[in-house]
Amino acid sequence: MRRLRWYWGALVLACVALLAGFFVFFGSESKPGQPQPRQGPPGTGPLTVVAMGDSTVSGEGAGQYTAATNGQGGNWCHRSPNAFVEKVAVPGVTAHVNFGCSGAPAEQVALGDAKQWTEGSQAQQLAALVKDHRVAAVVIAVGANDEPKFSNQVNECFKAWFNAGGPPCSTALKQTWQSKVDAMVPKVAKAVSDVKAVLAQAGYVPADYQLILQSYAAPIGPDLPEDLRTLNGCPFRTEDLRWIAQTGIGVLSSGLKAAAQQAGARFLDLAKAGLKHEACSGGANPATEWFTRLTLQLADLGHVERAGHALQESFHPNAAGHAAIANCLTEFVAAKEGNATCLAGADGKLHAVPEVVAR
């Protein structure tokens, strides 16, 4: 019996010694002096939120454009201090950087030689930024200027309003819109993946930052006062506005969500963000609107180099719209994971409503 006791005692001691060796080799959470996981992004400089993409990011329509992006040297990126990235409030973030450029396609956001209004790759601009900034989040909105060519479609719908005897613009769009969006998806996914590659090259791992792809809000809705369905505000046919708001924007958002999934980014859906705040929806009170009506800069018509941009601000989020989007984006960043939809709450503000994932 004594021998058996000795045997079990020796076995227990051997197990204790083995476990002690295991914790010495692999470390223990309570061991003094053990390196702790780094807090936040690598590098030096201010903690920063970066926005990349096209006019919905740059601040087109929000006014007060920086001189360097308001036609100077041919640069019409129209970056505004009222853009949503400037209004996002994230704990610890002290810097806000906007690389957005009006009219930018996905190719100009990605790595490569594509330029938009004299500016080179936004991903390459990010590569330069991380040398002296610590990036906490990157928000991207792009794709509408690729195959969907959203501004071109708005022009076609404008022409259809003029030509009352012809078909509405949505007649043709119904046949081609899905294929246009499908062709856009891989281009957006590549642009988002290139942004990830830039940060990985700089030593970032996915846990260091948030990568967000957001979609677009419908700038005009179908329920407009008839006296504003003119050159005084929103010259479009009701059936075209209904198709854009109820179908077109939704299909575009679904395509962008697919691109986000392919590239490993979070997705923020803005398809219904402008509901009841679209251009012309306020009637005699445009202060309630989050999007610009048909806007013509008359002063620009007297200058050859500016005349072609006199309508550029039309049907984009205005300063109030960007502030509303910033509120939703702030909540989305705070959530740290998952997808969400920007929807208006009882308080009149946009909130990030988490996506319910079926299990």
Side-chain angles (χ1 to χ4, degrees):
M1 179 65 74
R2 252 159 144 196
R3 229 161 144 190
L4 191 57
R5 261 195 241 141
W6 177 87
Y7 172 80
W8 284 110
L11 186 60
V12 168
L13 287 173
C15 287
V16 169
L18 184 62
L19 285 173
F22 178 89
F23 285 115
V24 166
F25 185 80
F26 286 99
S28 166
E29 288 185 9
S30 60
K31 185 178 178 182
Q34 180 186 359
Q36 296 298 311
R38 68 181 179 219
Q39 299 299 309
T44 59
L47 201 59
T48 306
V49 170
V50 179
M52 307 172 71
D54 54 31
S55 57
T56 197
V57 174
S58 71
E60 183 74 75
Q64 298 180 312
Y65 311 111
T66 61
T69 65
N70 193 24
Q72 191 176 99
N75 187 327
W76 289 95
C77 286
H78 269 183
R79 281 195 282 275
S80 169
N82 299 315
F84 67 76
V85 66
E86 306 289 351
K87 311 294 182 183
V88 174
V90 179
V93 168
T94 58
H96 302 79
V97 176
N98 191 352
F99 291 137
C101 184
S102 189
E107 189 180 13
Q108 194 254 340
V109 173
L111 291 168
D113 299 325
K115 289 187 174 183
Q116 179 65 19
W117 301 128
T118 76
E119 293 197 5
S121 161
Q122 293 181 32
Q124 288 171 347
Q125 293 178 54
L126 177 66
L129 181 77
V130 294
K131 294 176 183 177
D132 53 14
H133 285 68
R134 299 167 64 236
V135 174
V138 179
V139 186
I140 304 169
V142 75
N145 294 308
D146 289 282
E147 278 78 5
K149 299 197 181 302
F150 197 75
S151 15
N152 285 4
Q153 308 309 333
V154 170
N155 289 339
E156 289 303 312
C157 292
F158 183 39
K159 292 176 186 176
W161 172 81
F162 263 111
N163 183 19
C169 70
S170 52
T171 300
L173 283 173
K174 288 175 184 177
Q175 307 301 317
T176 61
W177 190 246
Q178 185 65 62
S179 62
K180 289 176 185 293
V181 170
D182 290 344
M184 171 206 74
V185 171
K187 295 181 179 180
V188 173
K190 180 186 183 303
V192 177
S193 296
D194 281 0
V195 170
K196 286 178 67 176
V198 164
L199 292 172
Q201 183 67 32
Y204 284 68
V205 297
D208 290 329
Y209 69 102
Q210 294 189 48
L211 182 62
I212 298 164
L213 180 66
Q214 68 178 42
S215 63
Y216 300 85
I220 324 168
D223 303 318
L224 305 183
E226 196 58 43
D227 62 335
L228 286 177
R229 208 182 305 281
T230 67
L231 293 174
N232 289 327
C234 300
F236 301 99
R237 293 188 185 186
T238 301
E239 57 266 50
D240 290 336
L241 294 178
R242 186 172 292 119
W243 183 86
I244 290 170
Q246 296 176 358
T247 304
I249 286 290
V251 171
L252 181 58
S253 284
S254 295
L256 289 167
K257 182 178 181 180
Q261 291 172 333
Q262 290 177 25
R266 298 178 68 200
F267 179 66
L268 183 60
D269 190 354
L270 270 68
K272 297 180 180 179
L275 196 61
K276 296 184 179 179
H277 293 279
E278 302 97 336
C280 297
S281 62
N285 183 19
T288 64
E289 298 167 11
W290 290 348
F291 297 83
T292 58
R293 301 179 178 188
L294 181 66
T295 303
L296 176 64
Q297 295 296 337
L298 290 172
D300 287 349
L301 295 178
H303 304 274
V304 175
E305 71 280 6
R306 302 187 68 85
H309 302 274
L311 290 167
Q312 191 168 313
E313 296 175 288
S314 302
F315 310 116
H316 285 87
N318 57 24
H322 275 273
I325 293 169
N327 189 76
C328 180
L329 183 58
T330 294
E331 292 184 0
F332 188 61
V333 172
K336 295 184 179 178
E337 59 183 22
N339 299 333
T341 300
C342 287
L343 296 174
D347 58 1
K349 295 181 179 180
L350 277 184
H351 297 282
V353 179
E355 179 184 74
V356 177
V357 181
R359 296 185 182 280

